[in-house]
Amino acid sequence: LSHRGRFPLKKETKEAQIIADADSLSIFDNILTLINIRYGNSKTKKDARKKVLEKLERTYLKISNKLKPLVKDKLEDARKKLT
């Protein structure tokens, strides 16, 4: 089965895609946690906001097309707040 990570794995089964999607979708339900972690690991708040937005953009691209509408509004809201 696949799990998110820096190196994309081929999702050869429906189950692997479901797990990958669920994992990616969870990022959008935990944006505040991601921001708090990045603030602690970044030199500036601007850098932290940039890195969080980059993470959200990358994660969005990994989600299957069927499920992207579930998080599109969250991504748009994050874009507005983090730029």
Side-chain angles (χ1 to χ4, degrees), residues 17 21 24-25 28 56-76 79:
Q17 185 62 53
D21 279 342
S24 294
L25 291 172
F28 289 90
L56 293 173
E57 297 282 359
R58 283 192 316 271
T59 300
Y60 183 78
L61 293 175
K62 294 177 187 177
I63 297 172
S64 63
N65 288 333
K66 280 185 175 182
L67 298 180
K68 283 182 179 178
L70 295 175
V71 295
K72 186 176 182 185
D73 289 343
K74 291 179 182 182
L75 179 59
E76 290 299 325
R79 285 176 179 152

PDB file of all heavy atoms in Angstrom, residues 17 21 24-25 28 56-76 79:
ATOM      1  N   GLN A  17      -4.833   3.683  -3.555  1.00  0.00           N
ATOM      2  CA  GLN A  17      -5.287   5.032  -3.885  1.00  0.00           C
ATOM      3  C   GLN A  17      -6.132   5.608  -2.766  1.00  0.00           C
ATOM      4  O   GLN A  17      -6.016   6.785  -2.420  1.00  0.00           O
ATOM      5  CB  GLN A  17      -6.068   5.034  -5.196  1.00  0.00           C
ATOM      6  CG  GLN A  17      -6.460   6.426  -5.657  1.00  0.00           C
ATOM      7  CD  GLN A  17      -5.261   7.307  -5.943  1.00  0.00           C
ATOM      8  OE1 GLN A  17      -4.377   6.927  -6.703  1.00  0.00           O
ATOM      9  NE2 GLN A  17      -5.202   8.480  -5.333  1.00  0.00           N
ATOM     10  N   ASP A  21      -5.185   8.945  -0.804  1.00  0.00           N
ATOM     11  CA  ASP A  21      -6.120  10.068  -0.785  1.00  0.00           C
ATOM     12  C   ASP A  21      -6.490  10.466   0.639  1.00  0.00           C
ATOM     13  O   ASP A  21      -6.503  11.649   0.972  1.00  0.00           O
ATOM     14  CB  ASP A  21      -7.396   9.721  -1.561  1.00  0.00           C
ATOM     15  CG  ASP A  21      -7.259   9.887  -3.062  1.00  0.00           C
ATOM     16  OD1 ASP A  21      -6.318  10.582  -3.503  1.00  0.00           O
ATOM     17  OD2 ASP A  21      -8.102   9.337  -3.792  1.00  0.00           O
ATOM     18  N   SER A  24      -3.669  12.314   2.228  1.00  0.00           N
ATOM     19  CA  SER A  24      -3.536  13.673   1.686  1.00  0.00           C
ATOM     20  C   SER A  24      -4.678  14.574   2.143  1.00  0.00           C
ATOM     21  O   SER A  24      -4.463  15.737   2.484  1.00  0.00           O
ATOM     22  CB  SER A  24      -3.499  13.626   0.162  1.00  0.00           C
ATOM     23  OG  SER A  24      -2.324  12.978  -0.274  1.00  0.00           O
ATOM     24  N   LEU A  25      -5.890  14.045   2.157  1.00  0.00           N
ATOM     25  CA  LEU A  25      -7.034  14.837   2.603  1.00  0.00           C
ATOM     26  C   LEU A  25      -6.872  15.278   4.051  1.00  0.00           C
ATOM     27  O   LEU A  25      -7.292  16.369   4.426  1.00  0.00           O
ATOM     28  CB  LEU A  25      -8.331  14.043   2.429  1.00  0.00           C
ATOM     29  CG  LEU A  25      -8.776  13.781   0.995  1.00  0.00           C
ATOM     30  CD1 LEU A  25      -9.959  12.824   0.971  1.00  0.00           C
ATOM     31  CD2 LEU A  25      -9.123  15.063   0.273  1.00  0.00           C
ATOM     32  N   PHE A  28      -5.424  18.709   4.834  1.00  0.00           N
ATOM     33  CA  PHE A  28      -6.304  19.869   4.742  1.00  0.00           C
ATOM     34  C   PHE A  28      -7.193  20.030   5.971  1.00  0.00           C
ATOM     35  O   PHE A  28      -7.756  21.092   6.192  1.00  0.00           O
ATOM     36  CB  PHE A  28      -7.144  19.792   3.461  1.00  0.00           C
ATOM     37  CG  PHE A  28      -6.321  20.036   2.229  1.00  0.00           C
ATOM     38  CD1 PHE A  28      -5.702  18.995   1.560  1.00  0.00           C
ATOM     39  CD2 PHE A  28      -6.128  21.326   1.760  1.00  0.00           C
ATOM     40  CE1 PHE A  28      -4.924  19.226   0.441  1.00  0.00           C
ATOM     41  CE2 PHE A  28      -5.348  21.572   0.640  1.00  0.00           C
ATOM     42  CZ  PHE A  28      -4.751  20.519  -0.020  1.00  0.00           C
ATOM     43  N   LEU A  56       0.632  22.411   0.756  1.00  0.00           N
ATOM     44  CA  LEU A  56      -0.769  22.233   0.388  1.00  0.00           C
ATOM     45  C   LEU A  56      -0.932  22.084  -1.119  1.00  0.00           C
ATOM     46  O   LEU A  56      -1.716  21.244  -1.586  1.00  0.00           O
ATOM     47  CB  LEU A  56      -1.603  23.400   0.910  1.00  0.00           C
ATOM     48  CG  LEU A  56      -1.715  23.501   2.427  1.00  0.00           C
ATOM     49  CD1 LEU A  56      -2.412  24.795   2.809  1.00  0.00           C
ATOM     50  CD2 LEU A  56      -2.419  22.300   3.016  1.00  0.00           C
ATOM     51  N   GLU A  57      -0.189  22.883  -1.884  1.00  0.00           N
ATOM     52  CA  GLU A  57      -0.262  22.809  -3.353  1.00  0.00           C
ATOM     53  C   GLU A  57       0.216  21.436  -3.839  1.00  0.00           C
ATOM     54  O   GLU A  57      -0.419  20.816  -4.696  1.00  0.00           O
ATOM     55  CB  GLU A  57       0.574  23.918  -3.996  1.00  0.00           C
ATOM     56  CG  GLU A  57       0.108  25.326  -3.693  1.00  0.00           C
ATOM     57  CD  GLU A  57      -1.103  25.779  -4.496  1.00  0.00           C
ATOM     58  OE1 GLU A  57      -1.623  25.030  -5.335  1.00  0.00           O
ATOM     59  OE2 GLU A  57      -1.533  26.921  -4.264  1.00  0.00           O
ATOM     60  N   ARG A  58       1.336  20.964  -3.296  1.00  0.00           N
ATOM     61  CA  ARG A  58       1.860  19.642  -3.686  1.00  0.00           C
ATOM     62  C   ARG A  58       0.869  18.538  -3.325  1.00  0.00           C
ATOM     63  O   ARG A  58       0.629  17.618  -4.101  1.00  0.00           O
ATOM     64  CB  ARG A  58       3.200  19.348  -3.003  1.00  0.00           C
ATOM     65  CG  ARG A  58       4.388  20.032  -3.580  1.00  0.00           C
ATOM     66  CD  ARG A  58       5.694  19.457  -3.039  1.00  0.00           C
ATOM     67  NE  ARG A  58       5.706  19.227  -1.604  1.00  0.00           N
ATOM     68  CZ  ARG A  58       6.068  20.128  -0.692  1.00  0.00           C
ATOM     69  NH1 ARG A  58       6.435  21.351  -1.063  1.00  0.00           N
ATOM     70  NH2 ARG A  58       6.066  19.830   0.599  1.00  0.00           N
ATOM     71  N   THR A  59       0.330  18.641  -2.131  1.00  0.00           N
ATOM     72  CA  THR A  59      -0.604  17.628  -1.655  1.00  0.00           C
ATOM     73  C   THR A  59      -1.855  17.600  -2.523  1.00  0.00           C
ATOM     74  O   THR A  59      -2.355  16.530  -2.875  1.00  0.00           O
ATOM     75  CB  THR A  59      -0.965  17.889  -0.179  1.00  0.00           C
ATOM     76  OG1 THR A  59       0.239  17.847   0.604  1.00  0.00           O
ATOM     77  CG2 THR A  59      -1.934  16.851   0.348  1.00  0.00           C
ATOM     78  N   TYR A  60      -2.356  18.761  -2.882  1.00  0.00           N
ATOM     79  CA  TYR A  60      -3.550  18.846  -3.727  1.00  0.00           C
ATOM     80  C   TYR A  60      -3.331  18.126  -5.055  1.00  0.00           C
ATOM     81  O   TYR A  60      -4.219  17.418  -5.538  1.00  0.00           O
ATOM     82  CB  TYR A  60      -3.919  20.316  -3.962  1.00  0.00           C
ATOM     83  CG  TYR A  60      -5.182  20.509  -4.752  1.00  0.00           C
ATOM     84  CD1 TYR A  60      -6.427  20.358  -4.149  1.00  0.00           C
ATOM     85  CD2 TYR A  60      -5.143  20.839  -6.101  1.00  0.00           C
ATOM     86  CE1 TYR A  60      -7.596  20.524  -4.875  1.00  0.00           C
ATOM     87  CE2 TYR A  60      -6.307  21.015  -6.833  1.00  0.00           C
ATOM     88  CZ  TYR A  60      -7.529  20.857  -6.216  1.00  0.00           C
ATOM     89  OH  TYR A  60      -8.679  21.022  -6.939  1.00  0.00           O
ATOM     90  N   LEU A  61      -2.163  18.276  -5.623  1.00  0.00           N
ATOM     91  CA  LEU A  61      -1.867  17.635  -6.907  1.00  0.00           C
ATOM     92  C   LEU A  61      -1.865  16.111  -6.803  1.00  0.00           C
ATOM     93  O   LEU A  61      -2.105  15.417  -7.789  1.00  0.00           O
ATOM     94  CB  LEU A  61      -0.535  18.128  -7.452  1.00  0.00           C
ATOM     95  CG  LEU A  61      -0.486  19.598  -7.862  1.00  0.00           C
ATOM     96  CD1 LEU A  61       0.924  19.985  -8.270  1.00  0.00           C
ATOM     97  CD2 LEU A  61      -1.481  19.890  -8.977  1.00  0.00           C
ATOM     98  N   LYS A  62      -1.603  15.588  -5.615  1.00  0.00           N
ATOM     99  CA  LYS A  62      -1.529  14.140  -5.415  1.00  0.00           C
ATOM    100  C   LYS A  62      -2.898  13.495  -5.203  1.00  0.00           C
ATOM    101  O   LYS A  62      -3.039  12.288  -5.328  1.00  0.00           O
ATOM    102  CB  LYS A  62      -0.645  13.818  -4.209  1.00  0.00           C
ATOM    103  CG  LYS A  62       0.803  14.191  -4.402  1.00  0.00           C
ATOM    104  CD  LYS A  62       1.574  13.909  -3.146  1.00  0.00           C
ATOM    105  CE  LYS A  62       2.996  14.424  -3.233  1.00  0.00           C
ATOM    106  NZ  LYS A  62       3.726  14.212  -1.980  1.00  0.00           N
ATOM    107  N   ILE A  63      -3.903  14.299  -4.870  1.00  0.00           N
ATOM    108  CA  ILE A  63      -5.234  13.767  -4.597  1.00  0.00           C
ATOM    109  C   ILE A  63      -5.900  13.382  -5.917  1.00  0.00           C
ATOM    110  O   ILE A  63      -5.777  14.084  -6.920  1.00  0.00           O
ATOM    111  CB  ILE A  63      -6.081  14.813  -3.844  1.00  0.00           C
ATOM    112  CG1 ILE A  63      -5.447  15.113  -2.480  1.00  0.00           C
ATOM    113  CG2 ILE A  63      -7.519  14.352  -3.681  1.00  0.00           C
ATOM    114  CD1 ILE A  63      -6.090  16.272  -1.752  1.00  0.00           C
ATOM    115  N   SER A  64      -6.640  12.283  -5.895  1.00  0.00           N
ATOM    116  CA  SER A  64      -7.337  11.853  -7.113  1.00  0.00           C
ATOM    117  C   SER A  64      -8.353  12.915  -7.531  1.00  0.00           C
ATOM    118  O   SER A  64      -8.909  13.628  -6.695  1.00  0.00           O
ATOM    119  CB  SER A  64      -8.026  10.508  -6.897  1.00  0.00           C
ATOM    120  OG  SER A  64      -9.021  10.611  -5.905  1.00  0.00           O
ATOM    121  N   ASN A  65      -8.587  13.012  -8.814  1.00  0.00           N
ATOM    122  CA  ASN A  65      -9.466  14.047  -9.362  1.00  0.00           C
ATOM    123  C   ASN A  65     -10.879  13.984  -8.787  1.00  0.00           C
ATOM    124  O   ASN A  65     -11.531  15.006  -8.638  1.00  0.00           O
ATOM    125  CB  ASN A  65      -9.506  13.961 -10.884  1.00  0.00           C
ATOM    126  CG  ASN A  65      -8.203  14.424 -11.498  1.00  0.00           C
ATOM    127  OD1 ASN A  65      -7.480  15.228 -10.923  1.00  0.00           O
ATOM    128  ND2 ASN A  65      -7.902  13.907 -12.667  1.00  0.00           N
ATOM    129  N   LYS A  66     -11.350  12.798  -8.459  1.00  0.00           N
ATOM    130  CA  LYS A  66     -12.690  12.653  -7.890  1.00  0.00           C
ATOM    131  C   LYS A  66     -12.820  13.369  -6.553  1.00  0.00           C
ATOM    132  O   LYS A  66     -13.894  13.839  -6.200  1.00  0.00           O
ATOM    133  CB  LYS A  66     -13.034  11.175  -7.674  1.00  0.00           C
ATOM    134  CG  LYS A  66     -13.467  10.447  -8.894  1.00  0.00           C
ATOM    135  CD  LYS A  66     -13.894   9.043  -8.492  1.00  0.00           C
ATOM    136  CE  LYS A  66     -14.471   8.287  -9.664  1.00  0.00           C
ATOM    137  NZ  LYS A  66     -14.920   6.953  -9.262  1.00  0.00           N
ATOM    138  N   LEU A  67     -11.745  13.414  -5.794  1.00  0.00           N
ATOM    139  CA  LEU A  67     -11.809  13.953  -4.434  1.00  0.00           C
ATOM    140  C   LEU A  67     -11.314  15.387  -4.303  1.00  0.00           C
ATOM    141  O   LEU A  67     -11.500  16.007  -3.264  1.00  0.00           O
ATOM    142  CB  LEU A  67     -11.037  13.047  -3.473  1.00  0.00           C
ATOM    143  CG  LEU A  67     -11.592  11.621  -3.358  1.00  0.00           C
ATOM    144  CD1 LEU A  67     -10.763  10.813  -2.380  1.00  0.00           C
ATOM    145  CD2 LEU A  67     -13.045  11.627  -2.937  1.00  0.00           C
ATOM    146  N   LYS A  68     -10.700  15.916  -5.326  1.00  0.00           N
ATOM    147  CA  LYS A  68     -10.189  17.289  -5.258  1.00  0.00           C
ATOM    148  C   LYS A  68     -11.261  18.319  -4.875  1.00  0.00           C
ATOM    149  O   LYS A  68     -10.971  19.238  -4.118  1.00  0.00           O
ATOM    150  CB  LYS A  68      -9.497  17.685  -6.565  1.00  0.00           C
ATOM    151  CG  LYS A  68      -8.123  17.077  -6.679  1.00  0.00           C
ATOM    152  CD  LYS A  68      -7.415  17.504  -7.944  1.00  0.00           C
ATOM    153  CE  LYS A  68      -6.027  16.871  -7.951  1.00  0.00           C
ATOM    154  NZ  LYS A  68      -5.296  17.178  -9.149  1.00  0.00           N
ATOM    155  N   PRO A  69     -12.502  18.170  -5.346  1.00  0.00           N
ATOM    156  CA  PRO A  69     -13.519  19.148  -4.944  1.00  0.00           C
ATOM    157  C   PRO A  69     -13.749  19.219  -3.428  1.00  0.00           C
ATOM    158  O   PRO A  69     -14.185  20.243  -2.916  1.00  0.00           O
ATOM    159  CB  PRO A  69     -14.780  18.670  -5.670  1.00  0.00           C
ATOM    160  CG  PRO A  69     -14.273  17.933  -6.862  1.00  0.00           C
ATOM    161  CD  PRO A  69     -13.012  17.260  -6.388  1.00  0.00           C
ATOM    162  N   LEU A  70     -13.430  18.144  -2.715  1.00  0.00           N
ATOM    163  CA  LEU A  70     -13.618  18.135  -1.263  1.00  0.00           C
ATOM    164  C   LEU A  70     -12.713  19.125  -0.543  1.00  0.00           C
ATOM    165  O   LEU A  70     -13.049  19.582   0.548  1.00  0.00           O
ATOM    166  CB  LEU A  70     -13.371  16.732  -0.691  1.00  0.00           C
ATOM    167  CG  LEU A  70     -14.338  15.635  -1.114  1.00  0.00           C
ATOM    168  CD1 LEU A  70     -13.883  14.298  -0.557  1.00  0.00           C
ATOM    169  CD2 LEU A  70     -15.746  15.968  -0.655  1.00  0.00           C
ATOM    170  N   VAL A  71     -11.561  19.413  -1.128  1.00  0.00           N
ATOM    171  CA  VAL A  71     -10.612  20.298  -0.454  1.00  0.00           C
ATOM    172  C   VAL A  71     -10.311  21.580  -1.235  1.00  0.00           C
ATOM    173  O   VAL A  71      -9.525  22.399  -0.775  1.00  0.00           O
ATOM    174  CB  VAL A  71      -9.286  19.571  -0.122  1.00  0.00           C
ATOM    175  CG1 VAL A  71      -9.502  18.472   0.884  1.00  0.00           C
ATOM    176  CG2 VAL A  71      -8.619  19.041  -1.372  1.00  0.00           C
ATOM    177  N   LYS A  72     -10.951  21.746  -2.376  1.00  0.00           N
ATOM    178  CA  LYS A  72     -10.663  22.921  -3.206  1.00  0.00           C
ATOM    179  C   LYS A  72     -10.901  24.222  -2.442  1.00  0.00           C
ATOM    180  O   LYS A  72     -10.083  25.142  -2.493  1.00  0.00           O
ATOM    181  CB  LYS A  72     -11.488  22.894  -4.486  1.00  0.00           C
ATOM    182  CG  LYS A  72     -11.124  24.010  -5.430  1.00  0.00           C
ATOM    183  CD  LYS A  72     -11.864  23.919  -6.735  1.00  0.00           C
ATOM    184  CE  LYS A  72     -11.390  25.063  -7.616  1.00  0.00           C
ATOM    185  NZ  LYS A  72     -12.127  25.130  -8.854  1.00  0.00           N
ATOM    186  N   ASP A  73     -12.018  24.320  -1.719  1.00  0.00           N
ATOM    187  CA  ASP A  73     -12.311  25.536  -0.959  1.00  0.00           C
ATOM    188  C   ASP A  73     -11.284  25.776   0.143  1.00  0.00           C
ATOM    189  O   ASP A  73     -10.890  26.912   0.403  1.00  0.00           O
ATOM    190  CB  ASP A  73     -13.710  25.477  -0.348  1.00  0.00           C
ATOM    191  CG  ASP A  73     -14.808  25.613  -1.399  1.00  0.00           C
ATOM    192  OD1 ASP A  73     -14.512  26.073  -2.528  1.00  0.00           O
ATOM    193  OD2 ASP A  73     -15.953  25.251  -1.082  1.00  0.00           O
ATOM    194  N   LYS A  74     -10.842  24.706   0.772  1.00  0.00           N
ATOM    195  CA  LYS A  74      -9.826  24.835   1.831  1.00  0.00           C
ATOM    196  C   LYS A  74      -8.508  25.336   1.246  1.00  0.00           C
ATOM    197  O   LYS A  74      -7.823  26.148   1.863  1.00  0.00           O
ATOM    198  CB  LYS A  74      -9.619  23.510   2.553  1.00  0.00           C
ATOM    199  CG  LYS A  74     -10.800  23.107   3.390  1.00  0.00           C
ATOM    200  CD  LYS A  74     -10.554  21.779   4.075  1.00  0.00           C
ATOM    201  CE  LYS A  74     -11.790  21.375   4.870  1.00  0.00           C
ATOM    202  NZ  LYS A  74     -11.599  20.134   5.600  1.00  0.00           N
ATOM    203  N   LEU A  75      -8.163  24.842   0.065  1.00  0.00           N
ATOM    204  CA  LEU A  75      -6.936  25.300  -0.591  1.00  0.00           C
ATOM    205  C   LEU A  75      -7.058  26.771  -0.971  1.00  0.00           C
ATOM    206  O   LEU A  75      -6.130  27.550  -0.738  1.00  0.00           O
ATOM    207  CB  LEU A  75      -6.629  24.451  -1.821  1.00  0.00           C
ATOM    208  CG  LEU A  75      -5.394  24.846  -2.610  1.00  0.00           C
ATOM    209  CD1 LEU A  75      -4.130  24.806  -1.754  1.00  0.00           C
ATOM    210  CD2 LEU A  75      -5.234  23.961  -3.837  1.00  0.00           C
ATOM    211  N   GLU A  76      -8.184  27.152  -1.539  1.00  0.00           N
ATOM    212  CA  GLU A  76      -8.394  28.556  -1.923  1.00  0.00           C
ATOM    213  C   GLU A  76      -8.332  29.462  -0.700  1.00  0.00           C
ATOM    214  O   GLU A  76      -7.742  30.547  -0.755  1.00  0.00           O
ATOM    215  CB  GLU A  76      -9.740  28.711  -2.648  1.00  0.00           C
ATOM    216  CG  GLU A  76      -9.777  28.090  -4.021  1.00  0.00           C
ATOM    217  CD  GLU A  76      -8.775  28.696  -4.991  1.00  0.00           C
ATOM    218  OE1 GLU A  76      -8.521  29.916  -4.929  1.00  0.00           O
ATOM    219  OE2 GLU A  76      -8.229  27.941  -5.813  1.00  0.00           O
ATOM    220  N   ARG A  79      -4.754  29.794   0.345  1.00  0.00           N
ATOM    221  CA  ARG A  79      -4.039  30.689  -0.566  1.00  0.00           C
ATOM    222  C   ARG A  79      -4.257  32.151  -0.179  1.00  0.00           C
ATOM    223  O   ARG A  79      -3.337  32.954  -0.180  1.00  0.00           O
ATOM    224  CB  ARG A  79      -4.492  30.473  -2.007  1.00  0.00           C
ATOM    225  CG  ARG A  79      -3.956  29.216  -2.646  1.00  0.00           C
ATOM    226  CD  ARG A  79      -4.530  29.030  -4.023  1.00  0.00           C
ATOM    227  NE  ARG A  79      -4.007  27.835  -4.682  1.00  0.00           N
ATOM    228  CZ  ARG A  79      -4.665  27.158  -5.588  1.00  0.00           C
ATOM    229  NH1 ARG A  79      -5.881  27.521  -5.957  1.00  0.00           N
ATOM    230  NH2 ARG A  79      -4.128  26.085  -6.137  1.00  0.00           N
TER     231      ARG A  79
END
